[in-house]
Amino acid sequence: MLLSSKRVTAWAVLALWIAAVPAAVPLAGRLPDAVQARSTAELPRGAQSTEVEKLADRFRGGDQAPAVIVYARTGPGITPADRAKADADRRTLAPLATAPIGPPQASRDGRALLLAVPLHDNDDLSGNAKKVRDAATTNVPRGLQVKVTGPAGAALDAGDAFRKVDKPLLLITIVLVAAVLLLTYRSPVLWLLPLACAAISLQVTSAVVYLLAEHAGLYVADGMSTILNALVFGISTDYALLLLARYREELRRHEDRHRAMAAALRRAAVPVAASAATVCLGLLCLLAAHMGFNYALGPIGAIGILGGLAVVMTLLPALLVVLGRRVFWPRIPRFGDAPPARGGLWDRAGRRIAARPRLVWALGAAVLAALAAGCLGVHTGLDRAHFLTTTPNSVQGERLAGAHFPGDESRPLQVVSGRPVDLRGIPGVARTGSPETSADGRLTRTAVVLTSPPDSDAAKRTVERIRHAEPDALVGGGAASALDLADAQAHDRRVVIPLVLGVVLIVLIALLRALVAPLLVVATVVGSYFAALGASWLLFRYAFGFPALDVQVALMGFLFMVALGVDYNLFLVSRIREEAASAGHRGGVLRGLGLTGGVISSAGLVLASTFGVLGVMPVTMFVEIGVLVALGVLLDTFVVRPVIVPALALDAGRRFWWPGPLSRTPARPAPDREPVPRA
């Protein structure tokens, strides 16, 4: 009766997913529509620049993001044909603008014109900016350079970069994951199941995120789907690999595959659920962040992890028991088969580590320290010119404008106050516009053009001087936004990193019922993070030619590496604890390493591949995050987890489990080989 009930449950679960997936796919396809492409969406919470943008609706013209068209010649000067072109664009674009377009502004050297087209700063900003660029680059007189910059131009470049690569990146991810699974299982069918579960997890997650964005106000930033693809594909495939490994073991112990699956779920549920909890809680620590992208990634990433967990722990077991043992062909595990003979790669590695564990972990720590030395030369803070791996149209336009106009003409500051401000005499201020009064007459807004480019340190120092001189005013836009973004990232690193470490440590303590083991595991993962950061910085500087790390890379890399890197150590150490209960501490370490080495290595390759794909992105930040996380996962998979952690556990002895019961009572050693059940 019980077995019959389990068979019915498997078919019911399968039917439920068959009904749910067709409903999720159309909603997942609408996720790009939920992306908020406003130029202000990335501003940090509570910053002056954010408050200035919130007050924009109280002034004439409301919330605007201008598209600034720059016309420039390298020759003698602007010709009558060039002026006619700018005037024609002014008339053509008038229906698109949210306010009257002023006449083209000529530079002092007579070789450039500037035309500002006010656009609504909403989710249509990128599309409207494209219309401006298409019109401006049509019928251009010979020898005239035309570029579109300003907030609208920057939003267009960012949107283009993500739209062009999202689908190719997903395809590359699928191909790489499929290749790793084929090499792992060497089966014509089995590799399809983890891949199908990962794809379904992504569709379900995307559908849920879209619904929350549409009906609950969840913020979805540009590039969020790219991170979600890597995260969901990697974590879902990892969980599937771990469950499959346990199921294969249990099929040799149980004649009925339903009993085997029940045993596999019972033994895999705790480490997999603890892994999901670790990553989810680590991501939710981002709710304490000020940066818009960081804050948004927390709940969206957690939804992705829970989606992957739900699919792998329900759909995959149902598929496996319905398809039967034949799905493992040609290496079908039979009831009564002897377990794989000891002496494989990870068994041999364990015996060598056990010979001199202290020397092994000391040498491993020295390797990590040598790689981490590269961190000493790290520079952070990319300017807009290096936002993409190529030079985008908006940056070219900004450079053209900077060559002929004051440094901040395309992105002036906006100073909002309860009274008109006098900024004359402040070093770094080129000129100020006429004060503009709000609709209710209670506020004034003044445009301020600086002498330095908006991304320069000099411009940021000028913003600080203005804020010091006018403490009651709010200063936003241009260089003020860049300064507030840098300050918000510094805040997020100070707050989020300790929170993530605390959460990870608490989950490990609860799972392992020990204190020493979690502290050592967290220390090794932090060490691998700094080693990966040092090694990746050397690659960025000397192979990629990047002048600095994006301000978000250090935090994103730490979050993914610690939360995801702890997973593999968690799977290893929890299995060691399980084996140590019967085989003693030393035997438990060696058997745990031998039993989990292959599957965890495959899982690490999958996760490194999914994040490594970000290296082909045209967005510098994503290239840096992808390379950093991929290097860190590989270090953790092939150096920290199989070498340093077992060596530390062996060197510490039963103290590794202090103050838990395993630290006090030696277990009865079990034989080296598992007992073979009789058929």
Side-chain angles (χ1 to χ4, degrees):
M1 182 68 181
L2 181 60
L3 292 181
S4 175
S5 170
K6 290 179 179 177
R7 291 187 178 95
V8 171
T9 301
W11 282 104
V13 170
L14 193 57
L16 180 64
W17 280 110
I18 290 173
V21 170
V25 170
L27 295 173
R30 298 175 65 182
L31 181 58
D33 298 337
V35 173
Q36 296 184 28
R38 300 188 306 272
S39 66
T40 59
E42 273 296 285
L43 294 179
R45 297 182 295 163
Q48 285 197 29
S49 52
T50 308
E51 297 303 314
V52 168
E53 296 299 336
K54 289 180 179 178
L55 294 171
D57 287 337
R58 296 175 62 175
F59 293 89
R60 182 176 56 85
D63 195 6
Q64 294 181 353
V68 179
I69 309 174
V70 184
Y71 309 84
R73 278 193 180 272
T74 56
I78 292 295
T79 66
D82 301 338
R83 292 183 180 276
K85 165 62 177 168
D87 289 334
D89 289 344
R90 181 188 178 196
R91 292 190 298 271
T92 301
L93 296 171
L96 193 64
T98 60
I101 304 175
Q105 178 185 348
S107 62
R108 291 183 179 179
D109 60 12
R111 294 189 294 173
L113 297 171
L114 211 64
L115 184 67
V117 181
L119 301 175
H120 271 306
D121 191 5
N122 54 23
D123 292 342
D124 296 327
L125 177 62
S126 181
N128 289 332
K130 186 178 186 305
K131 295 176 183 177
V132 171
R133 188 172 66 186
D134 290 345
T137 53
T138 302
N139 299 323
V140 177
R142 180 174 296 181
L144 181 67
Q145 296 184 70
V146 179
K147 303 293 179 183
V148 177
T149 185
L156 173 59
D157 287 335
D160 282 349
F162 290 117
R163 278 190 296 271
K164 289 177 181 176
V165 298
D166 264 351
K167 290 183 179 178
L169 274 178
L170 182 58
L171 180 61
I172 295 171
T173 301
I174 293 172
V175 170
L176 284 176
V177 172
V180 174
L181 293 174
L182 276 169
L183 289 173
T184 300
Y185 292 118
R186 302 171 193 172
S187 166
V189 177
L190 188 59
W191 67 276
L192 288 169
L193 299 187
L195 195 63
C197 287
I200 291 171
S201 300
L202 183 60
Q203 294 300 306
V204 170
T205 299
S206 299
V208 172
V209 170
Y210 169 75
L211 290 173
L212 290 176
E214 286 296 304
H215 303 292
L218 183 67
Y219 166 49
V220 182
D222 258 335
M224 194 64 70
S225 61
T226 302
I227 291 288
L228 200 61
N229 290 348
L231 187 61
V232 173
F233 250 88
I235 209 75
S236 300
T237 309
D238 283 1
Y239 294 162
L241 287 168
L242 291 162
L243 180 60
L244 277 167
R246 274 291 191 169
Y247 181 51
R248 189 195 290 270
E249 286 184 41
E250 299 301 330
L251 284 173
R252 295 196 300 268
R253 298 190 180 103
H254 298 274
E255 186 173 6
D256 183 82
R257 63 181 184 274
H258 297 86
R259 291 185 185 276
M261 179 55 72
L265 284 171
R266 188 168 57 250
R267 289 180 168 86
V270 172
V272 170
S275 163
T278 302
V279 182
C280 282
L281 292 174
L283 286 165
L284 290 176
C285 290
L286 288 172
L287 292 175
H290 283 177
M291 279 292 298
F293 187 91
N294 297 347
Y295 181 82
L297 180 60
I300 291 176
I303 292 168
I305 300 301
L306 293 176
L309 179 68
V311 172
V312 170
M313 299 304 283
T314 57
L315 176 60
L316 182 59
L319 286 170
L320 288 170
V321 296
V322 166
L323 294 174
R325 297 174 187 260
R326 294 184 301 274
V327 76
F328 287 92
W329 186 87
R331 295 185 293 175
I332 301 175
R334 304 288 185 185
F335 173 59
D337 284 351
R342 305 292 294 275
L345 171 64
W346 299 111
D347 292 301
R348 295 195 302 271
R351 287 195 295 269
R352 293 189 178 186
I353 292 168
R356 303 189 70 179
R358 186 167 299 177
L359 176 63
V360 170
W361 71 253
L363 289 175
V367 170
L368 296 182
L371 292 174
C375 296
L376 299 175
V378 168
H379 301 293
T380 58
L382 284 174
D383 55 19
R384 275 169 39 84
H386 294 92
F387 170 72
L388 301 180
T389 54
T390 57
T391 305
N393 192 283
S394 61
V395 171
Q396 296 175 28
E398 194 170 286
R399 289 174 179 173
L400 272 182
H404 301 284
F405 295 91
D408 209 10
E409 191 74 45
S410 63
R411 287 192 291 155
L413 298 180
Q414 300 291 334
V415 180
V416 177
S417 178
R419 55 177 177 77
V421 295
D422 184 7
L423 304 178
R424 291 175 297 179
I426 296 180
V429 174
R431 65 178 179 83
T432 60
S434 301
E436 178 186 359
T437 305
S438 61
D440 58 9
R442 302 176 63 181
L443 296 173
T444 64
R445 183 173 65 179
T446 305
V448 180
V449 178
L450 306 184
T451 58
S452 304
D455 289 323
S456 65
D457 291 337
K460 293 173 184 175
R461 287 193 294 270
T462 303
V463 171
E464 291 172 344
R465 285 193 288 267
I466 294 173
R467 286 176 173 173
H468 179 73
E470 296 289 342
D472 296 331
L474 296 172
V475 183
S481 296
L483 177 62
D484 289 341
L485 289 173
D487 289 344
Q489 281 293 350
H491 164 274
D492 292 354
R493 289 193 295 270
R494 289 193 307 270
V495 173
V496 174
I497 287 177
L499 280 176
V500 172
L501 286 175
V503 163
V504 168
L505 190 59
I506 290 170
V507 173
L508 286 174
I509 291 172
L511 177 69
L512 302 177
R513 302 172 204 170
L515 184 59
V516 173
L519 287 172
L520 290 176
V521 167
V522 169
T524 59
V525 174
V526 172
S528 67
Y529 164 73
F530 283 106
L533 183 62
S536 60
W537 167 246
L538 296 177
L539 283 175
F540 298 148
R541 189 72 185 90
Y542 299 106
F544 291 80
F546 298 155
L549 290 179
D550 187 90
V551 291
Q552 292 191 200
V553 169
L555 177 60
M556 291 291 103
F558 181 87
L559 176 68
F560 288 128
M561 277 195 57
V562 171
L564 298 174
V566 163
D567 275 4
Y568 301 135
N569 291 284
L570 189 153
F571 298 142
L572 170 66
V573 177
S574 62
R575 188 60 186 263
I576 289 174
R577 188 179 188 280
E578 179 183 333
E579 298 296 330
S582 60
H585 177 70
R586 186 179 187 277
V589 172
L590 299 182
R591 287 178 61 171
L593 177 60
L595 290 169
T596 62
V599 65
I600 294 179
S601 298
S602 299
L605 285 174
V606 167
L607 190 62
S609 299
T610 57
F611 274 91
V613 169
L614 298 180
V616 303
M617 285 279 290
V619 182
T620 306
M621 179 188 75
F622 285 95
V623 173
E624 293 179 339
I625 290 174
V627 171
L628 172 60
V629 175
L631 275 177
V633 169
L634 291 175
L635 271 175
D636 199 73
T637 302
F638 295 103
V639 177
V640 173
R641 191 269 314 161
V643 177
I644 297 179
V645 171
L648 286 168
L650 289 167
D651 192 26
R654 293 202 310 271
R655 291 170 297 180
F656 190 69
W657 305 109
W658 185 88
L662 284 177
S663 67
R664 298 187 296 272
T665 306
R668 178 174 57 85
D672 287 341
R673 298 179 66 88
E674 300 176 10
V676 180
R678 294 181 180 273

